[in-house]
């Protein structure tokens, strides 16, 4: 892409051009020796066609089919939901196709770099050292909250307030008879107050409390999946151990969790304390035992300290949310370059959100290192989409109103840009939800496109850092894995830099290349992996939503 250009054609096969800045109706845009007279005002992030299209004609972007014309679209006309409908190429597995030899990018700047992490008995390395308190069933959520009230402040994990809100001032005004209009004009922002105390256990980054609405009352398969997910959280290298509360009669039995842990973590020796309320003499005794065992577990967890680790120990989740028309041009390709660097260094990366790979299946199938992996990916995608269609919500319905408003008109456009997070390396493994990352290189993990359900799944499969791109802004975080928020444009970063960590808007502005931004982002990741707090971590943004694939009964 040329510096200072206000438009961009991403792939030579494309018949749409992206506006990098707001353009006006009647503007004559010269690009690659062609002149295009615009038929509409075109906001930045949206696209116009390079030739007049008849009804049914294909529209290509990123070099792939992303839709077809619903009616005639004149040359220089904007594409929108009124004239474009989702369409994708068919895909299939061809076991005889030759694989191209992948060339890793130059990693010489990073081969001698390390991060300071927590080394586990199974050889994995955590970027954090957290203790978990988990309910096996929603009936225990209240008890988890009681433990939170008992432990957090006393152990020094009080919430660090990033924003002070002077409610006392409003109370005083109300008592003094100040009008509602005056109250609405009053400035109640004040400097934030750090209520955190000195940590009793300085080598434990946090005590994390995971509540959810599952474990019983639904499909047995969902209860098993929940246990697998919770086992994955305990198995994650960012976790030192766990206290688990069970009622006793629920579908998500403690034995299922223990079986899942045994399969995942046979080489680990993390303490896991399981307490069952129906076997306890009283709720108070249950909670007292939970506190004592948690305290003893924290004493053990505090014995481990951060030590240098090779970058090959990084397992990086690749995620996007609140995407916009710049996502596939700036932030997502930057993550793709980081992914390629990590793979070149011997680490692992994980691309999730299968509904947002709709339309690029063939490319990913072709990149799978074995026919077995390609068939698994194809099967998961087709089965998932068929189930979604049966429920009246096919992949084609994925773009949100915010996505569409900011230029992602069809799911195929969104997917083609989202897939850029996976870089160019071969697909070494394909994982269904809750399966663990055991292979270095690029992994595909089946999760929904929902931001929090997907980040929940990435952490549950073993990611020790998550990179999360956004064009519209989101505060999303995760309880056990630091989430680095990456903006697609400088306007967003400047407006919401209290929740966003890194900006790739310089790529849109032409002042940096994808490679330059990628190397800078990897340097930032190394800092985070060594203990630097992300914005989501500073805000204690601990989002956790297990994926229910079955139904309630």
């Amino acid at each position: 892409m040329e510096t200072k250009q206000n438009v961009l054609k991403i792939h030579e096969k494309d018949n749409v051009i992206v506006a990098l800045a707001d353009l006006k109706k009647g503007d004559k845009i010269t690009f690659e020796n062609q002149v295009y007279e615009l038929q509409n005002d075109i906001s930045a992030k949206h696209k116009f066609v390079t030739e007049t299209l008849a009804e049914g004609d294909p529209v290509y972007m990123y070099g792939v089919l992303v839709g077809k014309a619903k009616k005639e679209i004149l040359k220089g006309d904007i594409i929108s939901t009124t004239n474009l409908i989702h369409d994708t190429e068919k895909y299939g597995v061809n076991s005889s196709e030759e694989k191209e030899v992948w060339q890793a990018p130059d990693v010489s700047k990073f081969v001698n770099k390390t991060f300071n992490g927590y080394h586990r008995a199974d050889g994995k390395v955590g970027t954090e050292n957290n203790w978990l308190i988990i309910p096996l069933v929603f009936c225990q959520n209240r008890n988890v909250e009681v433990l939170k009230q008992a432990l957090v402040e006393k152990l020094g994990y009080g919430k660090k307030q990033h924003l002070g809100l002077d409610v006392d001032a409003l109370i005083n005004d109300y008592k003094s008879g100040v009008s509602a209009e005056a109250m609405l004009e009053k400035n109640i922002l004040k400097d934030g107050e750090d209520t955190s105390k000195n940590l009793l256990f300085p080598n434990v980054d946090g005590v994390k409390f995971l509540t959810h609405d599952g474990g019983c009352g639904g499909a047995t398969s969902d209860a098993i999946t929940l246990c697998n997910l919770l086992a994955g959280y305990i198995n994650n290298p960012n976790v030192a151990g766990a206290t688990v509360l069970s009622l006793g009669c629920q579908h998500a039995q403690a034995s299922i969790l223990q079986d899942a842990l045994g399969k995942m973590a046979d080489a680990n020796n993390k303490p896991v304390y399981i307490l069952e309320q129906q076997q306890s003499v009283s709720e108070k005794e249950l909670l007292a035992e939970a506190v004592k065992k948690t305290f003893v577990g924290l004493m053990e967890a505090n014995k481990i300290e951060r030590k240098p680790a090779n970058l090959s120990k990084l397992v990086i989740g690749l995620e996007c949310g609140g995407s916009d028309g710049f996502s596939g041009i700036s932030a997502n390709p930057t993550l793709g370059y980081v992914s390629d660097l990590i793979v070149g260094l011997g680490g692992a990366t994980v691309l999730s959100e299968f509904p947002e790979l709709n339309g690029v299946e063939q490319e990913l199938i072709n990149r799978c290192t074995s026919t077995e992996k390609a068939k698994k990916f194809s099967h998961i995608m087709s089965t998932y989409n068929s189930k979604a269609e049966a429920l009246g919500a096919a992949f084609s319905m994925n773009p949100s109103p915010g996505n569409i408003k900011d230029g992602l008109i069809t799911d195929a456009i969104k997917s083609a840009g989202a897939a850029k997070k996976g870089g160019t390396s071969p697909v070494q493994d394909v994982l269904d939800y809750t399966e663990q990352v055991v292979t270095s290189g690029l992994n595909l993990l089946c999760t929904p496109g929902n931001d929090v359900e997907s980040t929940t799944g990435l952490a549950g499969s073993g990611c020790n850092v998550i990179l999360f791109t956004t064009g519209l802004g989101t505060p999303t975080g995760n309880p056990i894995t630091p989430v680095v928020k990456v903006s697609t444009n400088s306007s967003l970063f400047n407006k919401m830099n209290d929740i966003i960590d890194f900006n790739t808007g310089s790529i849109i502005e032409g002042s940096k290349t994808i490679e330059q931004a990628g190397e800078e982002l990897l340097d930032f990741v190394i800092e985070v992996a060594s203990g630097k707090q992300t914005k989501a971590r500073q805000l204690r943004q601990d989002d956790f939503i297990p994926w229910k694939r079955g139904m309630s009964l």
Side-chain angles (χ1 to χ4, degrees), residues 34-62:
Q34 293 286 325
V35 178
Y36 304 94
E37 183 172 347
L38 302 184
Q39 305 296 313
N40 321 82
D41 290 344
I42 300 178
S43 300
K45 309 177 187 180
H46 286 263
K47 300 93 187 166
F48 62 88
V49 296
T50 60
E51 57 191 353
T52 296
L53 302 177
E55 181 181 350
D57 280 354
V59 173
Y60 294 92
M61 189 174 173
Y62 300 100

Side-chain angles (χ1 to χ4, degrees), residues 147-411:
L147 293 177
K148 186 174 184 179
Q149 293 170 20
L151 290 168
V152 168
E153 294 294 335
K154 295 293 185 183
L155 298 179
Y157 297 105
K159 185 174 182 180
K160 186 175 183 179
Q161 300 290 342
H162 77 295
L163 178 65
L165 295 172
D166 193 357
V167 179
D168 286 337
L170 294 179
I171 293 172
N172 291 332
D173 284 353
Y174 171 70
K175 290 179 177 178
S176 301
V178 174
S179 69
E181 290 76 13
M183 286 187 186
L184 291 173
E185 294 296 323
K186 191 179 188 71
N187 179 14
I188 63 167
L189 297 179
K190 62 180 182 179
D191 291 337
E193 179 184 357
D194 185 354
T195 58
S196 295
K197 302 173 183 176
N198 292 328
L199 295 177
L200 181 63
F201 302 114
N203 294 324
V204 178
D205 292 288
V207 180
K208 301 296 182 175
F209 303 82
L210 309 186
T211 55
H212 56 81
D213 63 356
C216 203
T220 301
S221 58
D222 276 341
I224 294 171
T225 298
L226 176 63
C227 288
N228 289 338
L229 177 70
L230 296 176
Y233 267 64
I234 297 170
N235 187 48
N236 190 293
N238 291 0
V239 171
T243 304
V244 181
L245 300 185
S246 170
L247 180 60
C249 56
Q250 72 276 352
H251 281 152
Q253 286 285 299
S255 59
I256 302 174
L257 176 70
Q258 289 169 316
D259 287 346
L261 268 175
K263 292 174 184 175
M264 292 178 186
D266 55 351
N268 221 323
N269 58 356
K270 296 178 183 178
V272 179
Y273 307 118
I274 299 176
L275 295 88
E276 187 170 299
Q277 186 168 6
Q278 289 172 348
Q279 296 299 318
S280 181
V281 297
S282 71
E283 189 167 83
K284 288 182 179 179
E285 289 295 330
L286 173 83
L287 294 170
E289 185 181 1
V291 167
K292 288 186 289 185
K293 287 187 172 178
T294 299
F295 198 90
V296 169
L298 289 169
M299 290 167 57
E300 190 66 26
N302 193 52
K303 294 177 181 177
I304 187 171
E305 297 180 357
R306 288 186 183 270
K307 294 179 181 178
N310 193 281
L311 298 187
S312 63
K313 296 297 184 179
L314 290 173
V315 182
I316 297 184
L318 307 167
E319 176 73 20
C320 59
S323 300
D324 72 349
F326 286 161
S327 292
I329 301 171
S330 57
N332 289 352
T334 298
L335 262 61
Y337 190 70
V338 170
S339 177
D340 287 348
L341 288 171
I342 291 295
V343 172
L345 290 162
T349 59
V350 188
L351 180 64
S352 57
E353 300 179 290
F354 273 25
E356 295 179 11
L357 300 178
N358 182 218
V360 292
E361 294 96 340
Q362 193 62 57
E363 178 201 339
L364 292 169
I365 285 170
N366 295 343
R367 287 165 59 185
C368 287
T369 55
S370 72
T371 302
E372 176 190 7
K373 299 300 180 189
K375 286 181 177 178
K376 183 176 181 180
F377 174 64
S378 177
H379 174 72
I380 292 174
M381 285 293 287
S382 59
T383 302
Y384 190 174
N385 191 31
S386 295
K387 184 172 183 179
E389 285 182 336
L391 296 172
F395 285 175
S396 60
M397 299 170 66
N398 179 262
S400 70
N403 295 152
I404 294 168
K405 176 178 173 290
D406 269 49
L408 301 178
I409 304 303
T410 68
D411 185 58

Side-chain angles (χ1 to χ4, degrees), residues 6 33 88 114 134 266 356 366 375 395 440 444 484 494 552:
N6 59 0
N33 300 318
T88 60
T114 60
I134 304 173
D266 55 351
E356 295 179 11
N366 295 343
K375 286 181 177 178
F395 285 175
S440 58
L444 303 180
V484 178
N494 294 332
S552 290

Side-chain angles (χ1 to χ4, degrees), residues 397-552:
M397 299 170 66
N398 179 262
S400 70
N403 295 152
I404 294 168
K405 176 178 173 290
D406 269 49
L408 301 178
I409 304 303
T410 68
D411 185 58
I413 293 177
K414 184 177 181 180
S415 295
K420 296 298 179 185
K421 302 192 300 292
T424 61
S425 70
V427 175
Q428 298 290 347
D429 207 355
V430 177
L431 308 171
D432 205 348
Y433 185 64
T434 75
E435 289 185 324
Q436 299 296 288
V437 176
V438 294
T439 307
S440 58
L442 177 62
N443 294 253
L444 303 180
L445 172 66
C446 182
T447 72
N450 175 291
D451 302 351
V452 176
E453 285 180 321
S454 185
T455 52
T456 297
L458 285 166
S461 286
C463 293
N464 53 13
V465 176
I466 295 173
L467 300 181
F468 189 120
T469 68
T470 182
L472 304 176
T474 172
T476 303
N478 182 266
I480 65 167
T481 300
V483 177
V484 178
K485 238 70 64 55
V486 181
S487 66
T488 70
N489 62 90
S490 297
S491 175
L492 172 66
F493 182 74
N494 294 332
K495 181 176 67 173
M496 302 183 74
N497 62 19
D498 58 334
I499 63 172
I500 295 175
D501 302 282
F502 191 91
N503 180 33
T504 61
S506 53
I507 295 169
I508 301 297
E509 294 148 15
S511 60
K512 283 182 185 171
T513 65
I514 288 168
E515 292 76 16
Q516 288 171 329
E519 290 181 353
E520 289 178 11
L521 179 55
L522 182 50
D523 278 329
F524 187 82
V525 167
I526 293 169
E527 291 183 52
V528 170
S530 301
K532 179 183 177 72
Q533 287 205 334
T534 63
K535 296 294 175 62
R537 189 57 84 228
Q538 292 170 22
L539 302 177
R540 303 294 193 267
Q541 187 79 31
D542 292 338
D543 299 317
F544 178 77
I545 303 179
W547 182 21
K548 289 185 177 180
R549 302 173 84 170
M551 63 186 76
S552 290

